[in-house]
Amino acid sequence: MRLSDTITGSVGVSPYIKQSDIVNKVKELINSGIAFDVEQRAFLATISDKIATTFDANDSTLRRLIRLQQQDSTAARLGMESAMNAFLNNMYENTEYLGSISSYVRGQLEEAQALMSTEQAVELEFQVQKWLGSMYSVGVSDATVNKLATAIGQLASGDISGITSGGANNLLIMAANEAGVSLEGILKNGLDASQTNILLQAMVNYLANIYNETKGSKVLQQQFANVYNLTASDLKAVTNLANDNNQTIKTIANNNLTFSTAYTQLQNMANTMYQRMSLGGMLSNVWDNFNYTMAEGMASNPVLYAIYKSAGLLDSVAGGIALPDIKVLGTGVNLQTTVADLMRVGAMSGSILAGVAKMITAGNFSGGFSGTGLLKSFGIDSNLKTVSRGKGAGLATSGVTVSSSGFVGNAEEGVVYNKTMSDADDSAKKQLAEAKEDVEEDTTRKVVDEHIVQIYELLRSVTEGTAKFNVSLAERPGWLP
């Protein structure tokens, strides 16, 4: 019930996402065994197609890091993915890397990230993805990017094979020497985001220099590339980053992301979701949410649900029981409806009010109209939440831990029918009273209008000198003294 209240209270009037989509994501995550922050993670998974389409909130590496670090970094990582999308689009007009390679790179960094804090892990991954994504976007092969990701992951996690297995690992050793970074310090303490940025910048510069120094001989190019388990075409691709006096390399190096700015990026993208949606799509979401709120309010209330189902039964058994004409003093009203119809109207009205009540009591009635409001309504901010510990209670043998709600009603036979007829009669009488008032008002207005015309004609005849005042009493208008 808490999940339902949170979703309806936050998204009940939103034009950006559907409650039904969030519920489906919740189901998917729960089926995966996830309970911690499940509403927030389901919400982020739902809006990701409007923030960063390549993001997977149910990614296996992300799930393990959340379990290991005991903190949910999904929001920041969605912001990071969005920042990577923007960076690669702006720099290379190409984001193929995020759809095909980045998940493998993330997996190779899993061990290194597991040994860091949540904030440090996000910042490290951005640096690695930024550099390898840039290399891939200018033509470096999938295989080479994967080899470099493996070598970086080994080095950052303190795995000694990261400097002893040759190939791409030797390339990192040479890059560390070029950058003046201590390999001993890296193996002992790991890599932070700043060191990673320096190391990978030096690596790109080093590869570009190799190509430039050997471009007169393809044999030399292939031999040098083989030392690092690369190809000559990889060396040439890297020069695409260095062919403007290293300006592109400097731009990449200066593009950084902290844990805080990752969340800020998420906020900015959430607040501009409407710019990436059509008006028709937003109206469709509003209508879908309205229907869902009504259905959810009815389904969660046994009285409303029973009335609605009973109305259908009444239709099939007794044709709905049409309401009779109501006549008073020759004037009548035909409501042209049935008891079943009125029962359905009452049930649906109650379900809508129940949904509105959830939105108001949740304090999020306006949350669905802005990205920031939606994030706040789901409790998502830059402050990390830590998994809380339970008491390890044994198997429950009774329902004492399950909350319940009670409803009081009158089940006496004929009560629903009588109440419906009474309401219809009251409605008819009200309509008759209003009609009578309208008739009386129209009659009075007509008499007054006639008197005004008579006064006008009398005044006009006086001013023209044609007035006759010797009229007999019988000719006098009734309104004259």
Side-chain angles (χ1 to χ4, degrees):
M1 194 65 181
R2 179 179 61 84
L3 285 172
S4 174
D5 290 348
T6 299
I7 294 172
T8 301
S10 302
V11 192
V13 293
S14 176
Y16 307 126
I17 51 177
K18 297 178 181 178
Q19 297 180 67
S20 55
D21 289 343
I22 298 179
V23 171
N24 289 333
K25 289 295 182 181
V26 168
K27 180 181 178 181
E28 178 184 327
L29 293 174
I30 290 176
N31 286 340
S32 299
I34 295 172
F36 172 55
D37 264 4
V38 68
E39 309 103 304
Q40 292 91 326
R41 291 157 79 172
F43 165 71
L44 292 170
T46 303
I47 67 170
S48 63
D49 63 340
K50 301 175 185 66
I51 306 294
T53 56
T54 55
F55 181 76
D56 181 8
N58 204 20
D59 177 73
S60 59
T61 301
L62 174 57
R63 292 206 313 265
R64 192 204 172 202
L65 289 174
I66 292 173
R67 295 195 306 270
L68 194 149
Q69 294 167 338
Q70 294 287 281
Q71 291 178 320
D72 183 10
S73 59
T74 307
R77 290 181 181 275
L78 176 54
M80 179 183 70
E81 190 90 357
S82 172
M84 276 296 301
N85 260 294
F87 170 76
L88 293 176
N89 261 323
N90 182 271
M91 293 290 293
Y92 316 107
E93 298 184 0
N94 188 299
T95 59
E96 293 178 71
Y97 171 81
L98 294 174
S100 57
I101 306 297
S102 62
S103 59
Y104 178 84
V105 173
R106 185 178 304 110
Q108 295 305 302
L109 297 176
E110 181 180 321
E111 181 69 12
Q113 293 187 77
L115 301 176
M116 299 176 169
S117 69
T118 303
E119 294 90 340
Q120 291 172 335
V122 171
E123 294 168 4
L124 170 77
E125 183 178 336
F126 177 79
Q127 293 297 334
V128 177
Q129 300 277 24
K130 174 186 72 174
W131 282 105
L132 296 186
S134 294
M135 294 173 68
Y136 180 84
S137 297
V138 295
V140 174
S141 68
D142 301 28
T144 295
V145 170
N146 291 342
K147 293 170 189 174
L148 291 172
T150 301
I152 295 168
Q154 291 172 336
L155 186 63
S157 62
D159 186 347
I160 194 68
S161 63
I163 60 172
T164 60
S165 56
N169 304 90
N170 287 341
L171 178 60
L172 292 182
I173 294 174
M174 297 303 297
N177 290 333
E178 289 286 323
V181 178
S182 169
L183 281 173
E184 180 183 359
I186 293 174
L187 289 171
K188 180 180 179 181
N189 304 314
L191 276 170
D192 61 22
S194 177
Q195 288 176 315
T196 302
N197 194 30
I198 294 171
L199 180 66
L200 297 184
Q201 181 181 5
M203 180 189 72
V204 170
N205 280 323
Y206 181 73
L207 292 174
N209 289 335
I210 291 177
Y211 179 81
N212 290 329
E213 291 173 3
T214 61
K215 61 183 178 181
S217 171
K218 289 182 173 56
V219 173
L220 280 178
Q221 289 174 354
Q222 293 292 358
Q223 290 301 312
F224 269 96
N226 286 337
V227 171
Y228 304 115
N229 201 15
L230 309 178
T231 64
S233 62
D234 291 325
L235 299 180
K236 181 180 180 180
V238 170
T239 61
N240 289 328
L241 299 176
N243 58 9
D244 54 357
N245 293 324
N246 293 336
Q247 186 57 48
T248 299
I249 294 177
K250 293 175 183 176
T251 301
I252 298 170
N254 291 332
N255 194 290
N256 296 302
L257 183 88
T258 65
F259 187 87
S260 176
T261 54
Y263 177 73
T264 301
Q265 173 70 10
L266 173 61
Q267 279 187 312
N268 293 337
M269 292 299 290
N271 283 331
T272 56
M273 284 191 293
Y274 69 92
Q275 297 178 359
R276 297 178 290 279
M277 296 181 65
S278 67
L279 179 60
M282 289 190 283
L283 291 176
S284 176
N285 287 344
V286 170
W287 178 245
D288 188 272
N289 285 332
F290 173 81
N291 288 333
Y292 188 93
T293 297
M294 184 171 62
E296 191 276 336
M298 188 181 300
S300 62
N301 187 317
V303 173
L304 295 179
Y305 185 74
I307 292 174
Y308 186 84
K309 297 298 289 186
S310 298
L313 181 62
L314 197 60
D315 273 331
S316 61
V317 174
I321 307 180
L323 296 181
D325 293 352
I326 301 173
K327 296 184 177 180
V328 179
L329 300 177
T331 303
V333 173
N334 185 354
L335 297 180
Q336 296 182 344
T337 188
T338 66
V339 173
D341 289 338
L342 294 179
M343 290 170 66
R344 272 189 286 266
V345 169
M348 289 188 292
S349 299
S351 66
I352 293 172
L353 291 175
V356 172
K358 287 182 180 180
M359 288 182 258
I360 295 174
T361 55
N364 302 322
F365 191 78
S366 61
F369 290 104
S370 73
T372 301
L374 282 169
L375 292 172
K376 287 181 178 179
S377 66
F378 279 94
I380 300 172
D381 54 36
S382 57
N383 297 317
L384 286 167
K385 292 182 180 179
T386 302
V387 179
S388 58
R389 290 286 177 270
K391 296 181 180 180
L395 293 175
T397 58
S398 66
V400 293
T401 60
V402 180
S403 62
S404 62
S405 299
F407 296 88
V408 179
N410 193 336
E412 183 180 350
E413 182 180 0
V415 168
V416 174
Y417 174 82
N418 291 335
K419 174 60 176 172
T420 304
M421 292 297 294
S422 174
D423 290 344
D425 183 61
D426 291 342
S427 175
K429 289 179 178 179
K430 181 179 179 182
Q431 293 181 42
L432 286 172
E434 291 175 351
K436 183 178 180 182
E437 290 177 359
D438 290 341
V439 170
E440 292 176 349
E441 182 179 350
D442 289 342
T443 301
T444 302
R445 185 181 296 112
K446 182 178 180 181
V447 172
V448 171
D449 289 343
E450 290 176 352
H451 288 175
I452 291 174
V453 170
Q454 291 178 6
I455 293 173
Y456 171 76
E457 291 295 335
L458 179 60
L459 291 176
R460 185 172 63 83
S461 63
V462 170
T463 56
E464 293 176 355
T466 60
K468 296 190 303 178
F469 293 97
N470 57 345
V471 294
S472 65
L473 184 61
E475 295 176 314
R476 288 176 178 269
W479 49 268
L480 284 176

